[in-house]
Coordinates of all heavy atoms in Angstrom, one line a residue:
M20 N 5.7 -41.8 -5.1 CA 4.4 -41.1 -5.2 C 4.5 -39.8 -4.5 O 4.0 -38.8 -5.0 CB 3.3 -42.1 -4.7 CG 2.0 -41.5 -4.8 SD 1.4 -41.3 -6.5 CE -0.2 -41.0 -6.3
R21 N 5.1 -39.8 -3.3 CA 5.1 -38.6 -2.5 C 5.9 -37.5 -3.3 O 5.6 -36.3 -3.2 CB 5.8 -38.9 -1.2 CG 5.8 -37.7 -0.2 CD 6.3 -38.1 1.1 NE 6.3 -37.0 2.0 CZ 6.7 -37.0 3.2 NH1 7.0 -38.2 3.8 NH2 6.7 -35.9 4.0
T22 N 7.0 -37.9 -3.9 CA 7.8 -36.9 -4.7 C 7.0 -36.3 -5.8 O 7.0 -35.1 -6.1 CB 9.0 -37.6 -5.3 OG1 9.7 -38.2 -4.2 CG2 9.9 -36.7 -6.1
I23 N 6.1 -37.1 -6.5 CA 5.3 -36.6 -7.6 C 4.3 -35.6 -7.0 O 4.1 -34.6 -7.6 CB 4.6 -37.8 -8.3 CG1 5.6 -38.7 -9.0 CG2 3.5 -37.3 -9.3 CD1 5.1 -39.9 -9.6
V24 N 3.7 -35.9 -5.9 CA 2.7 -35.0 -5.3 C 3.4 -33.7 -4.9 O 2.8 -32.6 -5.1 CB 2.0 -35.7 -4.1 CG1 1.1 -34.7 -3.4 CG2 1.1 -36.9 -4.6
S25 N 4.5 -33.8 -4.3 CA 5.3 -32.6 -3.9 C 5.6 -31.8 -5.1 O 5.5 -30.5 -5.1 CB 6.5 -33.0 -3.1 OG 6.2 -33.6 -1.9
A26 N 6.1 -32.4 -6.2 CA 6.5 -31.7 -7.4 C 5.2 -31.0 -8.0 O 5.3 -29.9 -8.5 CB 7.1 -32.7 -8.4
L27 N 4.1 -31.7 -8.0 CA 2.9 -31.1 -8.5 C 2.4 -29.9 -7.7 O 2.1 -28.9 -8.3 CB 1.8 -32.2 -8.6 CG 0.4 -31.7 -9.1 CD1 0.6 -31.2 -10.5 CD2 -0.6 -32.8 -9.0
A28 N 2.5 -30.0 -6.4 CA 2.1 -28.9 -5.5 C 3.0 -27.7 -5.8 O 2.6 -26.6 -5.9 CB 2.2 -29.3 -4.1
L29 N 4.3 -27.9 -5.9 CA 5.3 -26.9 -6.2 C 5.0 -26.2 -7.5 O 5.0 -25.0 -7.7 CB 6.7 -27.4 -6.1 CG 7.8 -26.4 -6.5 CD1 7.8 -25.2 -5.5 CD2 9.2 -27.0 -6.4
S30 N 4.7 -27.1 -8.5 CA 4.4 -26.6 -9.9 C 3.2 -25.7 -9.9 O 3.2 -24.6 -10.5 CB 4.2 -27.7 -10.8 OG 3.8 -27.3 -12.1
L31 N 2.1 -26.1 -9.1 CA 0.9 -25.3 -9.1 C 1.2 -24.0 -8.4 O 0.7 -22.9 -8.8 CB -0.2 -26.1 -8.3 CG -0.8 -27.2 -9.1 CD1 -1.7 -28.0 -8.2 CD2 -1.5 -26.8 -10.4
A32 N 2.0 -24.0 -7.3 CA 2.3 -22.7 -6.6 C 3.1 -21.8 -7.5 O 2.8 -20.6 -7.5 CB 3.1 -23.1 -5.3
L33 N 4.0 -22.3 -8.2 CA 4.8 -21.5 -9.1 C 4.0 -20.9 -10.2 O 4.1 -19.8 -10.6 CB 6.0 -22.2 -9.6 CG 7.1 -22.6 -8.6 CD1 8.2 -23.5 -9.3 CD2 7.7 -21.3 -8.0
S34 N 3.0 -21.7 -10.7 CA 2.2 -21.3 -11.8 C 1.3 -20.2 -11.3 O 1.0 -19.2 -12.0 CB 1.3 -22.4 -12.3 OG 2.1 -23.4 -12.9
A35 N 0.7 -20.3 -10.1 CA -0.2 -19.2 -9.6 C 0.6 -17.9 -9.5 O 0.1 -16.9 -9.8 CB -0.7 -19.7 -8.2
S36 N 1.8 -17.9 -9.0 CA 2.6 -16.7 -8.8 C 3.0 -16.2 -10.2 O 3.1 -15.0 -10.4 CB 3.8 -16.9 -7.9 OG 4.7 -17.8 -8.5
A37 N 3.2 -17.1 -11.2 CA 3.5 -16.6 -12.5 C 2.4 -15.8 -13.2 O 2.7 -15.0 -14.0 CB 3.9 -17.8 -13.4
F38 N 1.2 -16.0 -12.7 CA 0.0 -15.3 -13.3 C -0.3 -14.1 -12.5 O -1.2 -13.3 -12.9 CB -1.2 -16.2 -13.4 CG -1.0 -17.3 -14.5 CD1 -0.8 -18.6 -14.1 CD2 -0.9 -17.0 -15.8 CE1 -0.6 -19.6 -15.0 CE2 -0.7 -18.0 -16.8 CZ -0.5 -19.3 -16.4
A39 N 0.3 -13.8 -11.4 CA 0.0 -12.7 -10.6 C 0.4 -11.4 -11.4 O 1.4 -11.4 -12.0 CB 0.8 -12.7 -9.3
A40 N -0.4 -10.4 -11.3 CA -0.2 -9.2 -12.0 C 0.3 -8.1 -11.0 O 0.1 -8.1 -9.8 CB -1.5 -8.7 -12.7
D41 N 1.0 -7.1 -11.6 CA 1.5 -6.0 -10.9 C 0.7 -4.7 -11.3 O 0.5 -4.5 -12.5 CB 3.0 -5.7 -11.2 CG 3.9 -6.9 -10.8 OD1 3.7 -7.5 -9.7 OD2 4.8 -7.3 -11.6
H42 N 0.3 -4.0 -10.3 CA -0.5 -2.8 -10.5 C 0.2 -1.6 -9.9 O 1.0 -1.8 -9.0 CB -1.9 -2.9 -9.9 CG -2.6 -4.1 -10.4 ND1 -3.4 -4.1 -11.6 CD2 -2.7 -5.4 -10.0 CE1 -3.9 -5.3 -11.8 NE2 -3.5 -6.1 -10.8
S43 N -0.1 -0.4 -10.3 CA 0.5 0.8 -9.8 C -0.6 1.8 -9.4 O -1.6 2.0 -10.1 CB 1.4 1.5 -10.8 OG 2.4 0.7 -11.2
V44 N -0.4 2.5 -8.2 CA -1.2 3.6 -7.8 C -0.3 4.7 -7.4 O 0.7 4.6 -6.7 CB -2.0 3.2 -6.5 CG1 -2.8 4.4 -6.0 CG2 -3.0 2.0 -6.9
A45 N -0.6 5.9 -8.0 CA 0.2 7.1 -7.7 C -0.5 7.8 -6.6 O -1.8 7.8 -6.5 CB 0.3 8.0 -9.0
I46 N 0.3 8.5 -5.8 CA -0.3 9.3 -4.7 C 0.1 10.8 -5.1 O 1.3 11.1 -5.1 CB 0.2 9.0 -3.3 CG1 -0.1 7.5 -3.0 CG2 -0.4 9.9 -2.3 CD1 0.6 7.0 -1.8
R47 N -0.9 11.5 -5.6 CA -0.6 12.9 -6.0 C -1.8 13.8 -5.8 O -2.9 13.3 -5.9 CB -0.1 12.9 -7.5 CG -1.2 12.6 -8.5 CD -0.7 12.9 -9.9 NE 0.0 11.8 -10.5 CZ -0.5 10.9 -11.4 NH1 -1.8 11.0 -11.7 NH2 0.2 9.9 -11.9
G48 N -1.5 15.0 -5.5 CA -2.6 16.0 -5.3 C -3.6 15.6 -4.2 O -4.7 15.9 -4.3
G49 N -3.1 14.9 -3.2 CA -3.9 14.5 -2.1 C -4.9 13.4 -2.4 O -5.9 13.2 -1.8
K50 N -4.6 12.7 -3.5 CA -5.5 11.6 -4.0 C -4.7 10.4 -4.4 O -3.5 10.5 -4.7 CB -6.3 12.1 -5.2 CG -7.2 13.2 -4.9 CD -7.9 13.6 -6.1 CE -8.8 14.9 -5.8 NZ -9.5 15.4 -7.0
Y51 N -5.4 9.2 -4.4 CA -4.8 8.0 -4.9 C -5.3 7.9 -6.4 O -6.5 8.1 -6.7 CB -5.3 6.8 -4.2 CG -4.9 6.8 -2.7 CD1 -5.8 7.1 -1.7 CD2 -3.6 6.4 -2.4 CE1 -5.5 7.1 -0.4 CE2 -3.3 6.4 -1.0 CZ -4.2 6.7 0.0 OH -3.8 6.7 1.3
V52 N -4.4 7.7 -7.3 CA -4.8 7.6 -8.7 C -4.3 6.3 -9.3 O -3.1 6.0 -9.4 CB -4.1 8.8 -9.5 CG1 -4.4 8.7 -11.0 CG2 -4.4 10.1 -8.9
P53 N -5.3 5.4 -9.6 CA -6.7 5.5 -9.6 C -7.3 5.3 -8.2 O -6.6 4.7 -7.3 CB -7.2 4.4 -10.5 CG -6.2 3.3 -10.4 CD -4.9 4.0 -10.2
A54 N -8.4 5.9 -7.9 CA -9.1 5.8 -6.6 C -9.8 4.4 -6.4 O -10.1 4.0 -5.3 CB -10.1 6.9 -6.4
A55 N -10.1 3.7 -7.5 CA -10.7 2.4 -7.5 C -9.9 1.5 -8.4 O -9.6 1.9 -9.5 CB -12.1 2.5 -7.9
L56 N -9.5 0.3 -7.9 CA -8.7 -0.6 -8.7 C -9.2 -2.0 -8.4 O -9.5 -2.4 -7.3 CB -7.2 -0.5 -8.2 CG -6.2 -1.3 -8.9 CD1 -6.0 -0.9 -10.3 CD2 -4.9 -1.2 -8.1
T57 N -9.4 -2.8 -9.5 CA -9.8 -4.2 -9.4 C -8.6 -5.1 -9.7 O -7.9 -4.9 -10.8 CB -10.9 -4.5 -10.3 OG1 -12.0 -3.6 -10.0 CG2 -11.4 -5.9 -10.2
V58 N -8.3 -6.0 -8.8 CA -7.2 -6.9 -8.9 C -7.6 -8.3 -8.6 O -8.7 -8.5 -8.1 CB -6.0 -6.5 -8.0 CG1 -5.6 -5.0 -8.2 CG2 -6.4 -6.7 -6.5
A59 N -6.7 -9.3 -8.9 CA -6.9 -10.6 -8.5 C -6.2 -10.9 -7.2 O -5.2 -10.3 -6.9 CB -6.5 -11.6 -9.6
S60 N -6.7 -11.8 -6.4 CA -6.0 -12.2 -5.1 C -4.6 -12.7 -5.5 O -4.5 -13.5 -6.5 CB -6.8 -13.2 -4.4 OG -6.2 -13.6 -3.2
G61 N -3.6 -12.2 -4.8 CA -2.2 -12.6 -5.2 C -1.5 -11.5 -6.0 O -0.3 -11.6 -6.1
D62 N -2.2 -10.6 -6.6 CA -1.6 -9.5 -7.3 C -0.9 -8.6 -6.4 O -1.2 -8.5 -5.2 CB -2.7 -8.7 -8.1 CG -3.2 -9.4 -9.4 OD1 -2.7 -10.6 -9.6 OD2 -4.0 -8.8 -10.1
T63 N 0.0 -7.8 -6.9 CA 0.7 -6.8 -6.1 C 0.3 -5.4 -6.6 O -0.1 -5.2 -7.8 CB 2.3 -6.9 -6.2 OG1 2.6 -6.8 -7.6 CG2 2.7 -8.3 -5.7
I64 N 0.4 -4.5 -5.7 CA 0.2 -3.0 -6.0 C 1.4 -2.3 -5.5 O 1.7 -2.4 -4.3 CB -1.1 -2.5 -5.3 CG1 -2.3 -3.3 -5.7 CG2 -1.3 -1.0 -5.7 CD1 -3.6 -3.0 -4.9
T65 N 1.9 -1.4 -6.4 CA 3.0 -0.5 -5.9 C 2.5 0.9 -5.8 O 1.9 1.4 -6.8 CB 4.2 -0.6 -6.9 OG1 4.7 -1.9 -7.0 CG2 5.3 0.4 -6.5
F66 N 2.5 1.4 -4.6 CA 2.1 2.8 -4.3 C 3.3 3.7 -4.4 O 4.3 3.4 -3.7 CB 1.5 2.8 -2.9 CG 0.2 2.1 -2.8 CD1 0.2 0.8 -2.4 CD2 -1.0 2.7 -3.0 CE1 -1.0 0.1 -2.3 CE2 -2.2 2.0 -2.9 CZ -2.2 0.7 -2.5
T67 N 3.2 4.7 -5.2 CA 4.3 5.7 -5.3 C 3.8 7.1 -4.9 O 2.9 7.6 -5.5 CB 4.9 5.7 -6.7 OG1 5.3 4.4 -7.0 CG2 6.1 6.6 -6.8
N68 N 4.5 7.7 -4.0 CA 4.2 9.1 -3.6 C 4.8 10.1 -4.5 O 6.1 10.2 -4.5 CB 4.6 9.4 -2.1 CG 4.2 10.7 -1.7 OD1 3.5 11.5 -2.4 ND2 4.5 11.0 -0.4
E69 N 4.0 10.8 -5.3 CA 4.5 11.8 -6.2 C 4.4 13.2 -5.7 O 4.7 14.1 -6.4 CB 3.8 11.6 -7.6 CG 4.1 10.3 -8.2 CD 3.3 10.1 -9.5 OE1 2.5 11.0 -9.9 OE2 3.5 9.1 -10.2
G70 N 3.8 13.3 -4.5 CA 3.6 14.7 -4.0 C 4.6 15.1 -2.9 O 5.4 14.2 -2.5
P71 N 4.5 16.3 -2.5 CA 5.5 16.8 -1.5 C 5.3 16.3 -0.1 O 6.2 16.3 0.7 CB 5.3 18.3 -1.6 CG 3.9 18.5 -2.1 CD 3.6 17.3 -3.0
A72 N 4.0 16.0 0.3 CA 3.7 15.6 1.7 C 3.9 14.1 1.8 O 3.7 13.3 0.9 CB 2.3 16.0 2.0
P73 N 4.2 13.6 3.0 CA 4.2 12.1 3.2 C 2.8 11.6 3.3 O 1.9 12.2 3.6 CB 4.9 12.0 4.6 CG 4.7 13.3 5.3 CD 4.6 14.3 4.2
H74 N 2.7 10.3 2.9 CA 1.4 9.6 2.8 C 1.6 8.1 3.2 O 2.7 7.6 3.1 CB 0.8 9.7 1.5 CG 0.4 11.1 1.0 ND1 -0.7 11.8 1.6 CD2 1.0 11.9 0.1 CE1 -0.7 13.0 1.0 NE2 0.2 13.1 0.1
T75 N 0.5 7.4 3.5 CA 0.5 6.0 3.6 C -0.6 5.5 2.7 O -1.5 6.2 2.3 CB 0.3 5.5 5.0 OG1 -1.1 5.7 5.4 CG2 1.2 6.2 6.0
A76 N -0.7 4.2 2.5 CA -1.8 3.5 1.9 C -2.0 2.3 2.9 O -1.3 1.4 3.0 CB -1.6 3.0 0.5
T77 N -3.1 2.5 3.8 CA -3.3 1.6 4.9 C -4.7 1.0 4.7 O -5.7 1.7 4.8 CB -3.2 2.4 6.2 OG1 -1.9 3.0 6.2 CG2 -3.4 1.4 7.4
A78 N -4.8 -0.3 4.6 CA -6.1 -1.0 4.5 C -6.9 -0.8 5.8 O -6.3 -1.0 6.9 CB -5.9 -2.4 4.1
N79 N -8.2 -0.5 5.7 CA -9.0 -0.4 6.8 C -9.0 -1.7 7.7 O -9.0 -1.6 8.9 CB -10.5 -0.1 6.4 CG -10.7 1.2 5.8 OD1 -9.7 2.0 5.6 ND2 -11.9 1.6 5.6
D80 N -8.9 -2.8 7.0 CA -8.9 -4.1 7.8 C -7.5 -4.6 8.2 O -7.3 -5.6 8.8 CB -9.5 -5.2 6.9 CG -8.8 -5.6 5.7 OD1 -7.7 -5.0 5.4 OD2 -9.3 -6.4 4.9
G81 N -6.5 -3.7 7.9 CA -5.1 -4.0 8.3 C -4.4 -5.0 7.4 O -3.3 -5.4 7.7
S82 N -5.0 -5.4 6.3 CA -4.4 -6.4 5.4 C -3.1 -5.9 4.7 O -2.3 -6.7 4.3 CB -5.4 -7.0 4.4 OG -5.9 -6.0 3.6
F83 N -3.0 -4.6 4.6 CA -1.7 -4.0 4.1 C -1.5 -2.6 4.6 O -2.5 -1.9 5.0 CB -1.7 -4.1 2.5 CG -2.7 -3.2 1.8 CD1 -2.5 -1.8 1.6 CD2 -3.8 -3.8 1.3 CE1 -3.4 -1.0 1.0 CE2 -4.8 -3.0 0.6 CZ -4.6 -1.6 0.4
D84 N -0.3 -2.2 4.6 CA 0.1 -0.9 5.0 C 1.5 -0.6 4.4 O 2.4 -1.3 4.7 CB 0.2 -0.8 6.6 CG 0.4 0.6 7.1 OD1 0.7 1.5 6.3 OD2 0.3 0.8 8.3
T85 N 1.6 0.5 3.7 CA 2.8 0.8 3.0 C 3.8 1.4 4.0 O 5.0 1.6 3.7 CB 2.6 1.8 1.9 OG1 2.0 3.0 2.5 CG2 1.7 1.3 0.8
G86 N 3.3 1.9 5.1 CA 4.2 2.7 6.0 C 4.3 4.1 5.4 O 3.7 4.4 4.3
R87 N 4.9 5.0 6.0 CA 5.0 6.4 5.6 C 5.9 6.5 4.4 O 7.1 6.1 4.4 CB 5.6 7.2 6.8 CG 5.5 8.6 6.7 CD 6.0 9.3 8.0 NE 6.0 10.7 7.9 CZ 5.1 11.4 8.6 NH1 4.1 10.9 9.3 NH2 5.1 12.7 8.5
L88 N 5.4 7.1 3.3 CA 6.1 7.3 2.1 C 6.4 8.7 1.9 O 5.4 9.5 1.8 CB 5.3 6.7 0.9 CG 5.0 5.2 0.9 CD1 4.1 4.8 -0.3 CD2 6.3 4.4 0.9
V89 N 7.6 9.1 1.8 CA 7.9 10.5 1.4 C 8.0 10.6 -0.1 O 8.0 9.6 -0.8 CB 9.2 11.0 2.1 CG1 9.1 11.0 3.6 CG2 10.4 10.1 1.6
R90 N 8.1 11.9 -0.6 CA 8.1 12.1 -2.0 C 9.1 11.2 -2.7 O 10.3 11.1 -2.3 CB 8.5 13.6 -2.3 CG 8.6 13.8 -3.8 CD 9.0 15.3 -4.1 NE 8.1 15.7 -5.1 CZ 7.5 16.9 -5.2 NH1 7.8 17.8 -4.4 NH2 6.7 17.2 -6.2
G91 N 8.7 10.6 -3.8 CA 9.5 9.7 -4.6 C 9.7 8.3 -4.2 O 10.3 7.5 -4.8
K92 N 9.2 8.0 -3.0 CA 9.3 6.6 -2.4 C 8.1 5.8 -2.8 O 7.0 6.3 -3.0 CB 9.5 6.6 -0.9 CG 10.7 7.3 -0.5 CD 12.0 6.6 -1.0 CE 13.2 7.3 -0.6 NZ 14.4 6.7 -1.1
S93 N 8.4 4.5 -2.9 CA 7.3 3.5 -3.3 C 7.3 2.3 -2.3 O 8.3 2.1 -1.6 CB 7.6 2.9 -4.6 OG 7.6 3.9 -5.6
A94 N 6.2 1.7 -2.2 CA 6.1 0.4 -1.4 C 5.1 -0.5 -2.2 O 4.2 0.0 -2.8 CB 5.6 0.7 0.0
T95 N 5.4 -1.8 -2.1 CA 4.6 -2.8 -2.8 C 4.0 -3.7 -1.8 O 4.6 -4.1 -0.9 CB 5.5 -3.6 -3.8 OG1 6.1 -2.7 -4.7 CG2 4.7 -4.6 -4.6
V96 N 2.7 -3.9 -2.0 CA 1.9 -4.8 -1.2 C 1.3 -5.9 -2.0 O 1.1 -5.7 -3.2 CB 0.8 -4.0 -0.4 CG1 1.4 -2.9 0.5 CG2 -0.2 -3.4 -1.4
T97 N 1.0 -7.0 -1.4 CA 0.4 -8.1 -2.1 C -1.1 -8.2 -1.5 O -1.3 -8.2 -0.3 CB 1.1 -9.5 -1.8 OG1 2.4 -9.3 -2.3 CG2 0.4 -10.6 -2.5
V98 N -2.0 -8.3 -2.4 CA -3.4 -8.3 -2.1 C -3.8 -9.8 -1.9 O -3.6 -10.6 -2.8 CB -4.3 -7.7 -3.1 CG1 -5.8 -7.8 -2.8 CG2 -3.9 -6.2 -3.3
T99 N -4.4 -10.1 -0.7 CA -4.9 -11.4 -0.5 C -6.4 -11.4 -0.2 O -6.9 -10.3 0.2 CB -4.2 -12.1 0.7 OG1 -4.4 -11.3 1.9 CG2 -2.7 -12.2 0.4
G100 N -7.1 -12.5 -0.3 CA -8.5 -12.5 -0.1 C -9.3 -12.0 -1.2 O -8.8 -11.9 -2.3
S101 N -10.6 -11.7 -1.0 CA -11.4 -11.2 -2.0 C -12.4 -10.2 -1.4 O -12.6 -10.1 -0.2 CB -12.2 -12.3 -2.7 OG -13.0 -13.0 -1.8
G102 N -13.0 -9.4 -2.3 CA -14.0 -8.4 -1.9 C -13.4 -7.0 -1.9 O -12.2 -6.8 -2.3
D103 N -14.1 -6.0 -1.4 CA -13.7 -4.6 -1.4 C -12.7 -4.5 -0.2 O -13.0 -4.9 0.9 CB -14.8 -3.7 -1.2 CG -15.7 -3.6 -2.5 OD1 -15.2 -4.0 -3.6 OD2 -16.8 -3.1 -2.4
I104 N -11.6 -3.8 -0.4 CA -10.6 -3.5 0.6 C -10.4 -2.0 0.6 O -9.6 -1.4 -0.1 CB -9.3 -4.2 0.4 CG1 -9.5 -5.7 0.2 CG2 -8.3 -3.9 1.5 CD1 -8.3 -6.4 -0.4
P105 N -11.2 -1.2 1.4 CA -11.0 0.2 1.5 C -9.7 0.5 2.2 O -9.3 -0.2 3.0 CB -12.2 0.7 2.3 CG -13.1 -0.5 2.5 CD -12.3 -1.7 2.2
Y106 N -9.1 1.6 1.7 CA -7.8 2.0 2.4 C -7.8 3.5 2.5 O -8.6 4.2 1.8 CB -6.6 1.4 1.7 CG -6.4 1.9 0.3 CD1 -5.5 3.0 0.0 CD2 -7.0 1.2 -0.8 CE1 -5.3 3.4 -1.3 CE2 -6.7 1.6 -2.1 CZ -5.9 2.7 -2.4 OH -5.6 3.1 -3.7
F107 N -6.9 4.0 3.3 CA -6.8 5.5 3.6 C -5.3 5.8 3.9 O -4.5 5.0 4.0 CB -7.7 5.8 4.8 CG -7.2 5.2 6.1 CD1 -6.6 6.0 7.0 CD2 -7.4 3.9 6.4 CE1 -6.1 5.5 8.2 CE2 -6.9 3.4 7.6 CZ -6.3 4.2 8.5
C108 N -5.1 7.1 4.1 CA -3.8 7.7 4.4 C -3.8 8.0 5.9 O -4.7 8.7 6.4 CB -3.5 8.9 3.6 SG -2.0 9.7 4.2
R109 N -2.9 7.4 6.7 CA -2.9 7.6 8.1 C -2.5 9.1 8.4 O -2.9 9.6 9.5 CB -1.8 6.7 8.8 CG -2.3 5.3 8.9 CD -1.3 4.5 9.8 NE -1.7 3.1 9.8 CZ -2.5 2.6 10.7 NH1 -3.1 3.3 11.6 NH2 -2.8 1.3 10.7
V110 N -1.8 9.7 7.5 CA -1.4 11.1 7.7 C -2.5 12.1 7.4 O -2.7 13.1 8.1 CB -0.1 11.5 6.8 CG1 0.3 12.9 7.0 CG2 1.0 10.5 7.1
H111 N -3.3 11.7 6.4 CA -4.4 12.5 5.9 C -5.6 11.6 5.8 O -6.0 11.1 4.7 CB -4.1 13.1 4.5 CG -2.8 13.9 4.5 ND1 -1.6 13.4 4.1 CD2 -2.6 15.2 4.9 CE1 -0.7 14.3 4.2 NE2 -1.2 15.4 4.7
P112 N -6.3 11.3 6.9 CA -7.4 10.4 6.9 C -8.6 10.6 6.0 O -9.3 9.7 5.7 CB -7.9 10.4 8.4 CG -6.7 10.9 9.2 CD -6.0 11.9 8.2
A113 N -8.7 11.8 5.4 CA -9.7 12.1 4.5 C -9.4 11.5 3.1 O -10.3 11.3 2.3 CB -10.0 13.6 4.3
M114 N -8.1 11.1 2.9 CA -7.8 10.5 1.6 C -8.2 9.0 1.7 O -7.7 8.3 2.6 CB -6.2 10.5 1.4 CG -5.7 11.9 1.0 SD -3.9 11.9 0.9 CE -3.6 10.6 -0.3
K115 N -9.1 8.6 0.8 CA -9.6 7.3 0.8 C -9.7 6.7 -0.6 O -9.9 7.5 -1.6 CB -11.0 7.3 1.4 CG -11.0 7.7 2.9 CD -12.3 7.7 3.5 CE -12.2 8.2 4.9 NZ -13.5 8.2 5.6
A116 N -9.6 5.4 -0.8 CA -9.8 4.7 -2.0 C -10.1 3.3 -1.7 O -10.3 2.9 -0.6 CB -8.5 4.8 -2.8
V117 N -10.3 2.5 -2.8 CA -10.7 1.1 -2.6 C -10.0 0.2 -3.6 O -9.9 0.6 -4.8 CB -12.2 0.9 -2.6 CG1 -12.8 1.3 -4.0 CG2 -12.6 -0.5 -2.2
V118 N -9.6 -1.0 -3.2 CA -9.2 -2.1 -4.0 C -10.3 -3.1 -4.0 O -10.7 -3.5 -2.9 CB -7.8 -2.6 -3.6 CG1 -7.5 -3.9 -4.3 CG2 -6.7 -1.6 -3.7
T119 N -10.7 -3.7 -5.1 CA -11.6 -4.8 -5.2 C -10.8 -6.0 -5.7 O -10.2 -6.0 -6.7 CB -12.8 -4.5 -6.1 OG1 -13.4 -3.4 -5.6 CG2 -13.7 -5.7 -6.1
A120 N -10.7 -7.0 -4.8 CA -10.0 -8.2 -5.2 C -11.0 -9.3 -5.5 O -12.0 -9.6 -4.9 CB -9.1 -8.7 -4.0
N121 N -10.7 -10.0 -6.7 CA -11.5 -11.1 -7.1 C -10.9 -12.4 -6.8 O -9.7 -12.6 -6.7 CB -11.7 -11.0 -8.6 CG -12.5 -9.7 -9.0 OD1 -13.5 -9.4 -8.3 ND2 -12.1 -9.1 -10.1

């Protein structure tokens, strides 16, 4: 019985990750494109810096941080929880956007 329960739990975990979606946000012209993105909890977002200056994508609540991205570099984060997750650039704090997780 324990083996069946363990197998079922593993199957459910694998199924949940199989349905996770991948999203992309470009950093260009001093902006995040798109500036607002709706995702499901467990989805990933790949941030790619297309501009000449370094940038980050750092959640206000600390739930994700890409670290410093130079031109052409990307970082992928996994969104957890739900609700609005505002984020900004640590290098250019006026750059702001939001992810909404369902």
Side-chain angles (χ1 to χ4, degrees):
M20 180 69 168
R21 185 174 179 177
T22 303
I23 293 171
V24 171
S25 295
L27 180 59
L29 178 60
S30 175
L31 289 173
L33 292 174
S34 295
S36 64
F38 292 112
D41 299 317
H42 305 272
S43 297
V44 173
I46 304 170
R47 71 169 84 101
K50 298 178 182 177
Y51 298 102
V52 180
L56 181 64
T57 301
V58 303
S60 183
D62 285 2
T63 60
I64 304 171
T65 300
F66 292 90
T67 302
N68 184 0
E69 297 178 355
H74 296 287
T75 73
T77 306
N79 292 8
D80 65 5
S82 61
F83 65 81
D84 187 350
T85 61
R87 193 176 178 104
L88 300 174
V89 296
R90 176 181 228 144
K92 296 298 180 183
S93 299
T95 301
V96 301
T97 300
V98 177
T99 58
S101 63
D103 288 344
I104 307 167
Y106 64 94
F107 68 102
C108 174
R109 286 190 186 273
V110 180
H111 306 96
M114 286 178 56
K115 298 178 182 181
V117 66
V118 170
T119 301
N121 295 319

